[in-house]
Amino acid sequence: MKYIFTLLFALALISCSDEADVKDDIQTSQEVTTPVFNTKAIGSKVMMQAFYWDVPAGGTWWNTVKGKVPAWKNAGIDAIWLPPATKAQNGPFSMGYDPFDYFDFGSYNQMGSTETRFGSLSEIQSLISTAHSNGVSVIADIVINHNSGGASQANPFTGGNTWTNFQPASGLFNRSYYDFHPNDVHSGDSGSFGGYPDLCHDKQYVQDWLYNNSNSIAKYYKNVMGFDGWRFDYVKGFEPWVVKNFKNAAGGFAVGEYWDGNAATLEWWANQAEASAFDFACYYRMRDAFMGNDLTQLNGDMLLKRNSYKAVTFVANHDTDEIYNNKLLAYAYIMTHEGYPCVFYRDYEEWLDKNKMNNLIWIHNNKASGNTTYLYADNDEYVARRNGSPGLVVYINNSNSWQERWVDTNWANTVIKDYTGNSGWEPTTQSDTWVKIQAPPHGYTIWSVK
């Protein structure tokens, strides 16, 4: 979660062939017919993080995202991850990570506004409907570690007053000091955040409102609002069984933000929660590789290498954006390797070449299948092979000049091409499957059967 800077009232690439036109060689999603996606099968293509920190306030964001959904669908996006969608303490200015009323999607006048920062109830309903009509799933950001905005009340467990009296206008999930730490069950759980009142997940009342009740948060979001999956914020703050129970109660895709660079720890959490996890181990290895000019780091331990079905890979998000050199090379890595890639809104819409991003998404959705064989890595060069049918070979070059390398493929006596258009070569693999390929300076090529 981003550190929330709001006042807490509670706490006062060039072709080598003259005959080849690079633009003609680039394969984009617009060149293929994309079927309507099954909105239940999140994870087969690419996720879009459909926000960034401090998106424009004023209730316009849901409409902004709605307008982009058809183009994202055509690009090969199968799910969009929205920011926390309900009313938070900072009302019209909040990014939603200081939650107050889990059932106010912009219809109650409280916390200084009726709409949320992002818009009204009808606008988010229209956004979700538009996404579904385009075959795109919608992932809700769920913040259940902490709350904010409660009134002061005498608290017998602290001997003083705490801001734990929550009486939301929706009339749903009222809370008191019994529902936070410390209480009559225990003084704390796995972790608290920023001094906010810390929800106690061992309380039956809290469990009922989070996922057990017929009108619980989980079931209301899924059955009434139409969300298809969950992104759980700050899961270090509570036990992994909470995510498992929440997901099992309502169904849908689930991914947790367990912010840790240790791949074994991420694997442990994902197994315990029976959910996916953002692959911070991959993120930090890529940071060290591309910012530190050492592509051998890409041989390091990552969740995607331990359990690719549980790994959601990313290059940047609303909390962290440390790979600012060679960022497109990092996207070439996650789009050609195992895991479920997530694209950051500003990278796609503002900061990087959208045609190249669309090309990488197309390659991921059409060529990147099968397990991975790691072929070569040094400071400047990295080569790997996906062994599906037809599969691919990715060649990343972080040096200042064109590089060439002989590589072992899965194709014998076969013409191959670079599907990025960065090379105009169309070599034929030898009978022993070896072939020479190339990559441009600070660039990449991705090869498959022509």
Side-chain angles (χ1 to χ4, degrees), residues 11-79:
L11 306 171
L13 300 160
I14 301 173
S15 169
C16 280
S17 169
D18 293 335
E19 300 175 359
D21 185 320
V22 170
K23 293 182 179 178
D24 289 339
D25 281 354
I26 295 178
Q27 304 296 306
T28 68
S29 59
Q30 283 74 15
E31 297 174 21
V32 298
T33 301
T34 306
V36 174
F37 303 152
N38 179 352
T39 58
K40 301 300 181 185
I42 303 174
S44 60
K45 295 183 182 290
V46 176
M47 181 197 303
M48 173 69 72
Q49 180 179 353
F51 68 98
Y52 53 93
W53 196 256
D54 284 344
V55 300
T60 62
W61 192 248
W62 297 145
N63 286 337
T64 296
V65 173
K66 174 184 172 181
K68 295 183 181 296
V69 164
W72 290 349
K73 177 255 185 159
N74 288 336
I77 301 298
D78 69 350

Side-chain angles (χ1 to χ4, degrees), residues 66-144:
K66 174 184 172 181
K68 295 183 181 296
V69 164
W72 290 349
K73 177 255 185 159
N74 288 336
I77 301 298
D78 69 350
I80 57 173
W81 157 27
L82 300 184
T86 53
K87 193 68 59 66
Q89 177 185 341
N90 209 27
F93 308 107
S94 177
M95 284 297 296
Y97 290 96
D98 49 340
F100 174 73
D101 188 341
Y102 287 99
F103 296 87
D104 180 4
F105 288 85
S107 55
Y108 297 97
N109 187 358
Q110 58 182 338
M111 295 296 154
S113 68
T114 298
E115 293 190 348
T116 67
R117 181 190 191 101
F118 314 112
S120 67
L121 171 62
S122 63
E123 288 167 342
I124 190 174
Q125 289 173 325
S126 180
L127 165 56
I128 294 172
S129 176
T130 298
H132 287 168
S133 67
N134 280 274
V136 176
S137 298
V138 185
I139 297 172
D141 201 321
I142 300 295
V143 185
I144 54 174

